[in-house]
Amino acid sequence: EVTGVVVNETGAPVPGVYMRLDLADGSGDMCESITDANGQFDCALLIGGEYRVTVTPSPGARQGFAPAIGAHFNTIQVPRDGVVTGVQLAIKDERFAIRGTVVDDTGSPMADVHVMAMAPGESTMDFPSTLTDAAGRFEIADLARGAYSLSAHAGDGSDGLVSDVAAGTNAVSIKLARAGSIEGTLTGFSTAPTVFYWSTTGQEHSGRALVEGTTFSRVGVTPGQYTVEAIGADADAVTVDVRAGETAHVDLRSRGVGTVEGIVSELTTHKPLPAMRCDAKPSTDGRTTPVPPDVSFQGFSDAEGHFKVSAPVGRVRIFCFPPNGGPLSAAGTDVDVASAGSAKVNVFSVKAPASPSDAGFMFDPDMLPVTVGSVVPNGPAATAGLAPGDQVVTIDGISLQGVLPQGAMFLVMSHRPGTTAKLGVLRGGAAQTIKVAVVGGGAAQ
């Protein structure tokens, strides 16, 4: 337990502020307390150790007060069987507000929009927030000095974000793109499927559509590109662009059913992997959603690593993984499935490194062929000339056919720091080799 008081620069107690302790080793032990009328706090039920201190104006405000003296608060050493008393935390008690307006993409003010002031940090509470008034104006007060990202969300699904706003700014304008909608028809499905829409840039704007007979719809969809997928005993998926204030129309048609069979094995040893669950899902423009398919499109590998699974006709992603977790990556590939015959594939899993290294880039986790998704500025990959959008077909001469992005990333991360990963790259259809230096884990991610 730790007890003490929060005071300002003059030594006067500061009531009603939020104090948090986090175990410095990152194991997750923490406690929270709100100072009372006399600035006193009591942080109990700690397991003991060295703790970092954060003091913020309110529970959800991740941006903390600066110490009255020095650049940071001293850590607090807490015994495992005792109480630390008399702690005094002196802060620079500076409070600021951010004011502004929210407008739509035509410049018209928007009322009743939820605006949050977000900053890095830890808290179990929601970010400081408010609603805009009839003129679209907002004010978020009681903020510590620092920079915030302002996230705005309207009831119709419209979203907006303005980053790096300094506390004390008085004329922020947040523009929201009007939400769009998705509606469509279901043709040839033997039973009513579940319909999902999934953002191709991430799951934050994804969800489930309302199915009514042979039609489906979803309003309040943030503008962007989505995969719309029907999941059931019949399946289909298409990619659609949703524009502000418009309705995107989609026709999902049962693809019929074919078969895929193959072998799943470990990449380096070619040892067959039994009891891997293998799913078959539509693949659209090299992507597939993470929503599991119907059980009719799931199967398991036998003792020889062999699997046979029903699959939708057309372009399909085979995705094999250990159901109970473990050190192996998922294995898979995209394959064309016909209604007659059986498509054949070999897919490979890669063992996760015990001490992962870093090369300053990440693969797009959903894309095939394996594609570079992001490159850390000034990191090893950037220095070597690797760029987002590069397709990687080999690593150290090993083909990535049948390897998913997670497995390819494990191959790179398995290199010892100080060594080089040799990537066979396709850029604009032209083949080249890029050698990326590998550094200690976490240094450039």
Side-chain angles (χ1 to χ4, degrees), residues 308-344:
K308 186 174 184 179
V309 61
S310 295
V313 170
R315 192 70 171 169
V316 166
R317 174 74 50 88
I318 297 299
F319 186 89
C320 298
F321 63 98
N324 297 321
L328 293 173
S329 74
T333 189
D334 282 356
V335 61
D336 291 315
V337 177
S339 56
S342 185
K344 303 293 196 300

Side-chain angles (χ1 to χ4, degrees), residues 50 65 167 192 201 211 269 296 387 395 440 445:
E50 184 181 11
F65 290 112
T201 59
V211 176
T269 64
S296 60
I395 297 177
Q445 289 190 37

Side-chain angles (χ1 to χ4, degrees), residues 167-202:
T169 303
N170 289 314
V172 181
S173 179
I174 307 176
K175 180 178 289 188
L176 272 60
R178 288 169 295 162
S181 60
I182 296 172
E183 65 177 30
T185 57
L186 299 166
T187 303
F189 288 82
S190 57
T191 58
T194 302
V195 177
F196 288 91
Y197 65 101
W198 198 273
S199 172
T200 59
T201 59

